[in-house]
Amino acid sequence: MGVKLSAMTTATTNNGPTRGPADHDVRDQIVTAATAHFRLYGYEKTTVSDLAKAIGFSKAYIYKFFESKQAIGEQICATCLLEIETDVRAAVDGAEGAPEKLRRLFKTIVASSMRLFFEDRKLFDIASSAASERWDSAQRYELRIQGVLTDILRLGRDNEDFERKTPLDETVSAIYLVLRPYLNPLLLQYSFDSVDHAPAQLSSLVLRSLSR
Amino acid sequence: MGVKLSAMTTATTNNGPTRGPADHDVRDQIVTAATAHFRLYGYEKTTVSDLAKAIGFSKAYIYKFFESKQAIGEQICATCLLEIETDVRAAVDGAEGAPEKLRRLFKTIVASSMRLFFEDRKLFDIASSAASERWDSAQRYELRIQGVLTDILRLGRDNEDFERKTPLDETVSAIYLVLRPYLNPLLLQYSFDSVDHAPAQLSSLVLRSLSR
């Protein structure tokens, strides 16, 4: 109870958006415990009371740090999506020329999404809630991936690798529709059969559509 | 009980795959009642006992006509998928030239699938079971749609509308991957936001990929 009250005081006296290191540790502790709990029992089925019991904090104490279960989920989801985005950017940056960058985008986003959502990290449950309820973290991620795609297309047009007749925004939108089933966890769960060959086949089709 | 016994006798004495009109009527009656019941209560949640009670037949009597709930579901699903396929073939046949036929394939399969799975007929529950459990009806439907696509590509290659460098089977496979999120009910349920613009944008992208 002493810990709880002192932390509550800290949270109350420190009104800025950046909180002190002590609060930071508690937030991390909650996020770590919640990640483990969600992986075991699922995000949808877990309540803040369940989390509080599992961590050994009171529900009110958790609410001092996160306004809702979704706020905890948002943080876990944002971290997961940032990890995929980092993989994608590294793969794209490491490739020479727009066509190869586009191939890497397709290949890496599928491999990294599979790993984070279904294999090593098993964050499917939380990522699918984020996708179906349109959480900020998921929407911002989609916009950033569209940004990566736009940059590749601009580079390809500047270097005369890609055609320029089609309006850029239409090309981005259409290619994003082709990519979407492999980055959105709700669709990816039904595409396991094609994750091995889809990135190569689809990026080849897209590259043919971009040829001058 | 009299009706039941006489029908059982008919079923027993008539061993051929084609059954008499009386049996046919009973089968139709079961399928009609099951369709209504599945739409109200869902395919997964309904048992053959529920159906039997709703129709006023015994469970054993229903099993004389269908070996399982899935066998009833298969018939409903096959009829639904045939209706989509008929719409698609009519639209494709009514168009001049391979490029326009391809546009019609995309447009009609999305519109017809939306209507059959989610709007007028609300057969999503049964079609999604068929897709996730890989029922024969769903697999054969996918092959037939790939056949329609192959015919359009062959026509376009013969008429020199489409390039011929890419192996035909690779082109079919890649375009089918682009189309799949809009014909498979499991994926289509998460694509409502794009059903208005996706057919036009994706068929334009695919046509650019096929240009010579």
Side-chain angles (χ1 to χ4, degrees):
Chain A
M1 201 63 179
V3 173
K4 188 176 143 195
L5 281 171
S6 78
M8 280 172 73
T9 313
T10 312
T12 314
T13 49
N14 185 344
N15 290 320
T18 316
R19 286 173 170 177
D23 280 15
H24 228 89
D25 287 351
V26 179
R27 286 179 67 90
D28 285 353
Q29 207 179 334
I30 294 170
V31 166
T32 305
T35 306
H37 206 82
F38 292 153
R39 279 181 56 174
L40 275 174
Y41 305 103
Y43 172 76
E44 288 297 341
K45 285 180 190 156
T46 299
T47 64
V48 173
S49 301
D50 296 334
L51 282 183
K53 262 181 232 158
I55 312 175
F57 288 165
S58 76
K59 209 168 126 182
Y61 186 58
I62 291 181
Y63 279 123
K64 285 289 154 192
F65 295 90
F66 293 96
E67 66 178 14
S68 62
K69 182 178 80 166
Q70 186 179 323
I72 307 175
E74 276 277 14
Q75 178 142 342
I76 297 171
C77 185
T79 306
C80 165
L81 296 177
L82 183 65
E83 200 168 321
I84 298 173
E85 188 188 335
T86 304
D87 283 354
V88 166
R89 286 188 191 273
V92 167
D93 290 348
E96 281 292 316
E100 186 55 26
K101 283 178 191 289
L102 195 89
R103 287 195 184 280
R104 294 277 187 95
L105 167 62
F106 271 79
K107 194 181 163 184
T108 311
I109 210 160
V110 176
S112 190
S113 302
M114 285 295 290
R115 188 168 59 78
L116 270 291
F117 297 152
F118 302 101
E119 293 154 20
D120 299 354
R121 298 275 297 278
K122 298 185 181 70
L123 290 169
F124 170 74
D125 199 47
I126 207 158
S128 63
S129 294
S132 64
E133 295 162 17
R134 298 171 181 283
W135 294 2
D136 262 9
S137 50
Q139 292 199 43
R140 275 183 280 116
Y141 166 73
E142 293 206 18
L143 286 175
R144 290 195 309 268
I145 296 298
Q146 283 164 29
V148 173
L149 178 58
T150 307
D151 289 346
I152 297 173
L153 293 176
R154 281 217 179 92
L155 176 72
R157 286 177 176 219
D158 289 349
N159 292 351
E160 301 191 349
D161 285 320
F162 298 159
E163 61 98 359
R164 302 185 208 188
K165 277 178 297 179
T166 316
L168 183 65
D169 59 351
E170 188 190 322
T171 313
V172 171
S173 172
I175 298 175
Y176 191 74
L177 285 175
V178 174
L179 195 57
R180 186 173 170 268
Y182 300 92
L183 64 84
N184 183 308
L186 298 167
L187 285 88
L188 185 55
Q189 69 179 318
Y190 300 118
S191 305
F192 289 172
D193 280 359
S194 51
V195 291
D196 286 337
H197 59 277
Q201 285 193 356
L202 290 173
S203 53
S204 293
L205 182 148
V206 166
L207 286 172
R208 288 194 294 276
S209 81
L210 292 169
S211 68
R212 302 168 71 229
Chain B
M1 202 62 179
V3 174
K4 187 176 142 194
L5 280 171
S6 78
M8 280 171 71
T9 312
T10 312
T12 314
T13 50
N14 185 343
N15 289 319
T18 317
R19 286 173 170 178
D23 280 15
H24 228 88
D25 287 351
V26 178
R27 285 179 67 91
D28 286 352
Q29 207 180 335
I30 294 171
V31 166
T32 305
T35 306
H37 207 83
F38 291 153
R39 278 182 56 174
L40 275 174
Y41 304 102
Y43 172 76
E44 288 297 341
K45 284 180 190 156
T46 300
T47 63
V48 173
S49 301
D50 295 334
L51 281 183
K53 263 181 229 157
I55 311 175
F57 288 165
S58 78
K59 209 168 125 182
Y61 186 58
I62 290 181
Y63 279 122
K64 285 287 155 195
F65 295 89
F66 293 96
E67 65 177 13
S68 62
K69 182 178 80 167
Q70 185 179 323
I72 307 175
E74 276 278 14
Q75 179 144 339
I76 297 171
C77 185
T79 306
C80 164
L81 296 177
L82 184 64
E83 200 168 322
I84 298 173
E85 187 187 336
T86 305
D87 283 355
V88 167
R89 286 188 191 272
V92 167
D93 290 348
E96 281 292 317
E100 186 55 26
K101 283 177 191 290
L102 195 89
R103 287 195 185 280
R104 294 277 187 94
L105 166 63
F106 271 79
K107 193 181 163 183
T108 311
I109 210 160
V110 176
S112 190
S113 301
M114 285 294 291
R115 188 168 60 78
L116 271 290
F117 296 153
F118 302 101
E119 293 154 21
D120 299 355
R121 297 274 298 278
K122 297 186 180 69
L123 290 169
F124 169 74
D125 198 48
I126 207 158
S128 65
S129 294
S132 64
E133 295 162 16
R134 298 172 180 283
W135 294 3
D136 262 9
S137 50
Q139 291 199 44
R140 276 183 280 116
Y141 166 74
E142 293 206 17
L143 287 174
R144 290 195 309 268
I145 295 298
Q146 283 164 28
V148 173
L149 178 58
T150 307
D151 289 346
I152 297 173
L153 293 176
R154 281 217 179 93
L155 177 72
R157 287 177 175 219
D158 289 349
N159 292 351
E160 302 190 348
D161 285 319
F162 299 159
E163 61 97 359
R164 302 184 209 190
K165 277 178 298 181
T166 316
L168 183 64
D169 58 352
E170 189 191 321
T171 314
V172 171
S173 172
I175 299 175
Y176 191 74
L177 284 175
V178 174
L179 195 56
R180 186 172 170 268
Y182 300 93
L183 64 84
N184 183 307
L186 298 167
L187 285 89
L188 185 55
Q189 69 179 317
Y190 299 119
S191 306
F192 289 171
D193 280 358
S194 51
V195 291
D196 285 337
H197 58 276
Q201 285 193 357
L202 290 173
S203 54
S204 292
L205 182 148
V206 166
L207 285 172
R208 288 194 294 277
S209 81
L210 292 169
S211 67
R212 302 169 70 227

